[in-house]
Structure formats: C-alpha cells, structure tokens
Amino acid sequence: MSEQSEQASQSRSIDELERLVQHFVAAKRSLSSTALVARAHDVVTTARHLVEESAVLSAKNAFLRQGVLEEANVLVAVRDGLDSIGRETDVDFKAVIHQLDLADNRLQATLAQLLNTQVDTSELHSRGATADKQKTLHDFIDENTHLNLIESLRGTIDSHKAAEADFQHSQDSFDDQIRLVDAAVDDADQATENRDDLSPVPPLFQALTTHATEMASLLSSLVAHYDLCTSALKHTEGGGEAARQANPSSAYDAPEDSLYKNLPLGPMNEQERQEMLAVVDNDAQEVEDVVLEIGERLSEMEQTLEQMQSLSQAVRLRHKLLNRVLDQLSTLGGNLPMFIAAAKLYGNSWNTLKETLLAKAEELASLTDFYDSFITSYDSLLEEVDRRHAVESRMQRIADKARREIEALYKEDVAMREDFVRGTGEFLPRDIWPGLVDTPRRWEIRAVSPEIQHESLRNSGEQ
C-alpha cells in the first residue's frame, strides 16, 4: 500500500472514530431519559392508586346516590301524605264555613225582618209607661243570645286558624329541610360532570399505560443504540481512549460500562463492523427524535395525571357531599315523627272543632227558627186581635140591642102599671101588696173591663 493510500485510510479511520464517538456521546446523553421513564413509572403507579380509589368511591357514590333517591322519594311521599291532610281539612273547613254563612245569612234576614216590623205601643201608654220610640219586634228579643253565639263561632274559627298556622309552620319547616337535601344532592351531582358508572378515569389510565409502554420501548431502543455504540467502539481501534476524552465525566469508567457492560465481545470481521457502523449511523439520526418523543409523552402523562387527580378529587368531593346529604337525611328522619305528629294534631283538632262548629251552626239555625216563629206568632197575634175585635163588636151590638129592648119594655111596664093603679087603685088598699105602686126594676148592660185599643195595634203591625 502506498503512503498516500495509507494516509487516506488513516484519515477515514479518524473521521469514522470521531463520528462514532459523537454517536456514543449522544447515545450516552440520551440515556438520561431513564429518569423520564422512571417518572412515567411513578405516574402510572400514582394513577393506578387513583383508579382504585376512584373505582371504590364511584361504587360507593352510586350506592349512596341510589339510596338518597329512594329516601328522597319516601320523604316526598310522606310530605304529599301530610299535605293531603291539609288539603282535605281545608276543603272540609270551607264546606262548614259555607254552611255557617248560609245559616248566618238566614239569621241576618230574620233580624232585619224583626227590625222592620213595628208593634203597637198604645198599651204601654194605657198602663202609665212612657215609650221613648216606636218599638219593633227586635226590641222584644235578647240580642245577646245571637251575638254571643256569633262571637263564639268566631272564636272557634280563630282557634282553627291558629291550628292551621301551626300546621303550616310545620309543613314549611319540612319543605325547607327537603329543599336543603335537594340542594345538597345538586351540589353532589355538580361535583362531577360524569355519572358514577361512566367515569373517564379508566380510559385515562389506559392512555397512561400506553404512553408508559411506548416510553419503555423507546428507552429500550436508546439503550440498544448505546450498547451498539459501545460495541462499535470496542471493535474500533482507539475507541476507548477517544470516548474518555469525549466524555470526561466518565473518565473513571470504561466506555463500555453500561446496562450491558457484561455483554461478551465476540469476533467480528470488517464487513460486519461496517454493517454495524451503518446501523449506528442510521439510528443516531433518530436519537434526538426519540428523546423528544419520550419527553413529550411524559408531558402528556403529567397532564393526564393532573386530569385524573382533578377527577379523583371531584369523586372524593362527591363522596363527601353525598355523606353530607346522608347526614341531612338523618336529621330530617329524626324530625319526621314531629312533622307527622303535627299533622295528626291538626287533623284531630279539626275534627273536634268541626263538631263544635256544626253544633253551633245547628244552634244558629234553631235560634233563627225561633225568631221566625216569633214573627209568625206576631202575625197570628194580629189576626187574633182582629178576631177578638170582631167578637167584641158583635157583643157590643147585642148589648146595644138588649139595652134598647129593655128600655122599651121598661117604658111599657111603667105605662101599664100606671093604668092598673088608676083603674083599681081606689078599690085596693095600699098595704095589700107593698109593691103595688113601685116603679119597674131598672136593668143596665155594660162592659165589665175597659175596652182595648185594637185598631192602633192592627195599624202599627201593618206598617
């Protein structure tokens, strides 16, 4: 071989060694991605704990949510049942009030008739009393009777209103607690956008494992490339010394000290070495892209982990809020007997008050019937006055006729007595009959008691 050819060969060997050292240094540097892969392993481990925790909490949340719904449905049913008591009582109360209104309207109409019916006061004057005003039938009734009855009715109605207010206060408290439970359930539902049985955490974890697997595979290719660079240096004259000079930080370590430092060095001919160098040159062009891809995948994993942590935090928050709903349901359940007792008390109170109101309504109707009978009796009294006046007139006519007939008989008897005395008086001694010259007995027909002023009573009654 000529000197010129030898120089050219040495120059190619130097260029080849420098290029191989550069590939080795780059491969060595790329192995820093091991830390990224280790971080990916930590991310997957952390994510696995999140998946397990989310799965457990999601199952608990689904169970709690179903239990909350069932309890809420029971509470709504109880609330509707209690509310039906109020509605039925209200309908019943309005029916009784309508009955009372009819009875009161009838009473007021009767009272108005009593006020509009004037009576004769001449009898008062005849007995020496002084009438301050024209009297009506209303003046002859005890007004306190119906006023006290109406006032008693108002008191009973007020008692019902007070009981209704207490019942409504209990119902409002029940509603407030139900609204608090509903609001707490809404807060729990809004804590996570997804439903408990459709959690996105498992798919995200699957994406993480895919990234971690790919990163491990990429790291394996980098290690293989580094190992290939190491092997190439081993089979290249001056490779070890060149690696030390190019990588001073590893001066105490042989360039072949790697994960594969125990790899046995086998024989290799020049053709095989050239093929190996070609592979090294080809792979070296992809090292930077592989390192960049490992970093990008880790970045995506970090973002995915943050998303999983956020979702897991939401699941934990939902679990906490659902437990708070259970606490509120427990409180509401403890108060439930009080709400039921209030409804029963209201119903029992109304049943008692209803009997009282119906009894007073009957009493009101009876009082109205009594006043109506009073008016009817007064009308009958007017007819009785007319009848008595007619009888008295007939008696007066008979008495007048009798007085005239008696007077005529008296005069006729006087004349006949005088004629008798004149015809026989000189023949009969006076003491033969003491009543011989007596006048006839006088008869008088007169009323035993004073006459009543019937006409004025009739006139005033018709006003």
Side-chain angles (χ1 to χ4, degrees):
M1 181 180 294
S2 65
E3 182 179 352
Q4 185 177 3
S5 297
E6 184 178 353
Q7 290 177 351
S9 176
Q10 291 178 352
S11 177
R12 285 196 302 272
S13 297
I14 293 172
D15 292 340
E16 184 181 90
L17 180 59
E18 289 179 352
R19 189 174 66 255
L20 184 58
V21 170
Q22 290 177 357
H23 292 337
F24 170 75
V25 172
K28 178 91 172 173
R29 188 183 304 114
S30 70
L31 293 183
S32 63
S33 298
T34 303
L36 301 182
V37 175
R39 172 57 187 162
H41 175 73
D42 293 339
V43 168
V44 171
T45 301
T46 302
R48 181 177 291 107
H49 293 318
L50 293 177
V51 170
E52 293 172 354
E53 179 188 20
S54 297
V56 172
L57 289 181
S58 295
K60 290 182 178 180
N61 289 345
F63 178 78
L64 289 176
R65 187 66 175 83
Q66 183 62 31
V68 167
L69 288 177
E70 293 175 357
E71 290 293 331
N73 290 334
V74 171
L75 289 175
V76 170
V78 173
R79 175 62 177 80
D80 291 342
L82 297 182
D83 195 47
S84 66
I85 295 177
R87 291 193 300 268
E88 292 172 1
T89 300
D90 185 60
V91 171
D92 205 10
F93 173 74
K94 289 180 179 179
V96 173
I97 290 299
H98 178 68
Q99 186 175 346
L100 287 173
D101 287 340
L102 293 178
D104 183 66
N105 291 338
R106 183 177 167 225
L107 173 64
Q108 296 304 321
T110 300
L111 292 174
Q113 190 174 358
L114 290 173
L115 284 170
N116 293 330
T117 303
Q118 296 182 348
V119 299
D120 182 35
T121 57
S122 59
E123 180 65 18
L124 296 176
H125 291 290
S126 65
R127 295 176 180 271
T130 302
D132 296 331
K133 63 178 181 179
Q134 179 67 48
K135 284 186 175 293
T136 64
L137 291 182
H138 191 274
D139 295 321
F140 291 90
I141 66 173
D142 185 2
E143 190 176 13
N144 290 328
T145 301
H146 63 266
L147 291 180
N148 291 338
L149 180 58
I150 292 175
E151 187 64 25
S152 176
L153 280 169
R154 290 173 179 169
T156 304
I157 293 174
D158 290 341
S159 297
H160 172 70
K161 291 295 183 181
E164 182 182 28
D166 292 340
F167 170 70
Q168 190 59 49
H169 177 73
S170 174
Q171 290 294 88
D172 292 342
S173 178
F174 196 177
D175 289 338
D176 291 341
Q177 294 192 30
I178 290 179
R179 279 192 289 269
L180 288 177
V181 171
D182 289 340
V185 171
D186 290 340
D187 291 341
D189 290 341
Q190 293 173 6
T192 51
E193 296 180 358
N194 59 288
R195 295 175 56 186
D196 297 317
D197 55 348
L198 297 176
S199 174
V201 173
L204 292 176
F205 179 73
Q206 183 64 37
L208 283 180
T209 57
T210 300
H211 281 305
T213 302
E214 290 297 325
M215 288 175 67
S217 177
L218 292 173
L219 178 61
S220 178
S221 67
L222 290 177
V223 172
H225 175 64
Y226 171 76
D227 180 70
L228 193 60
C229 290
T230 301
S231 179
L233 284 173
K234 288 180 179 182
H235 289 87
T236 302
E237 184 179 358
E241 183 61 29
R244 290 189 185 93
Q245 293 177 0
N247 191 12
S249 61
S250 302
Y252 298 100
D253 297 325
E256 66 272 15
D257 288 341
S258 69
L259 295 176
Y260 302 92
K261 64 182 179 179
N262 295 324
L263 183 66
L265 181 63
M268 182 178 296
N269 58 36
E270 183 61 22
Q271 183 180 355
E272 292 175 342
R273 193 178 74 85
Q274 289 299 325
E275 291 177 356
M276 181 177 63
L277 291 178
V279 173
V280 169
D281 287 338
N282 184 65
D283 291 346
Q285 298 176 9
E286 300 179 3
V287 169
E288 185 177 353
D289 291 337
V290 171
V291 172
L292 182 61
E293 183 179 351
I294 290 176
E296 290 177 347
R297 285 183 178 275
L298 180 61
S299 178
E300 291 183 13
M301 289 181 69
E302 295 285 3
Q303 294 177 2
T304 302
L305 180 61
E306 291 180 359
Q307 186 178 358
M308 291 179 66
Q309 289 173 333
S310 177
L311 291 171
S312 297
Q313 179 62 29
V315 172
R316 285 192 291 269
L317 176 60
R318 177 175 173 79
H319 185 68
K320 178 181 178 181
L321 293 176
L322 285 174
N323 278 303
R324 184 179 301 174
V325 173
L326 289 180
D327 292 338
Q328 292 180 341
L329 285 174
S330 178
T331 300
L332 182 53
N335 294 332
L336 196 58
M338 178 181 65
F339 298 139
I340 296 176
K344 289 184 177 179
L345 179 62
Y346 178 58
N348 294 335
S349 174
W350 165 243
N351 291 332
T352 302
L353 293 177
K354 178 182 178 181
E355 292 180 1
T356 302
L357 289 174
L358 292 177
K360 291 183 183 296
E362 187 67 25
E363 187 176 350
L364 198 63
S366 298
L367 184 61
T368 303
D369 291 338
F370 176 79
Y371 289 160
D372 287 338
S373 298
F374 178 37
I375 295 173
T376 302
S377 297
Y378 182 71
D379 291 339
S380 299
L381 173 62
L382 296 179
E383 295 176 357
E384 176 65 12
V385 168
D386 288 342
R387 186 194 66 78
R388 293 184 182 186
H389 180 64
V391 170
E392 189 172 353
S393 296
R394 289 179 58 194
M395 292 173 64
Q396 182 68 41
R397 290 194 297 271
I398 293 173
D400 291 342
K401 179 179 178 182
R403 279 194 294 269
R404 290 193 298 271
E405 292 178 352
I406 289 175
E407 185 62 24
L409 288 174
Y410 177 81
K411 290 179 179 179
E412 180 182 355
D413 187 29
V414 168
M416 292 182 68
R417 287 188 183 199
E418 290 177 350
D419 291 341
F420 177 78
V421 171
R422 281 195 299 271
T424 63
E426 59 182 300
F427 302 107
L428 294 173
R430 299 284 181 170
D431 56 354
I432 194 172
W433 179 44
L436 180 63
V437 295
D438 290 346
T439 59
R441 178 179 294 180
R442 303 290 299 186
W443 291 85
E444 181 179 358
I445 298 177
R446 61 183 178 82
V448 177
S449 59
E451 184 178 357
I452 301 175
Q453 301 296 324
H454 303 286
E455 191 65 28
S456 60
L457 181 63
R458 163 55 67 179
N459 292 339
S460 63
E462 294 177 350
Q463 293 179 357

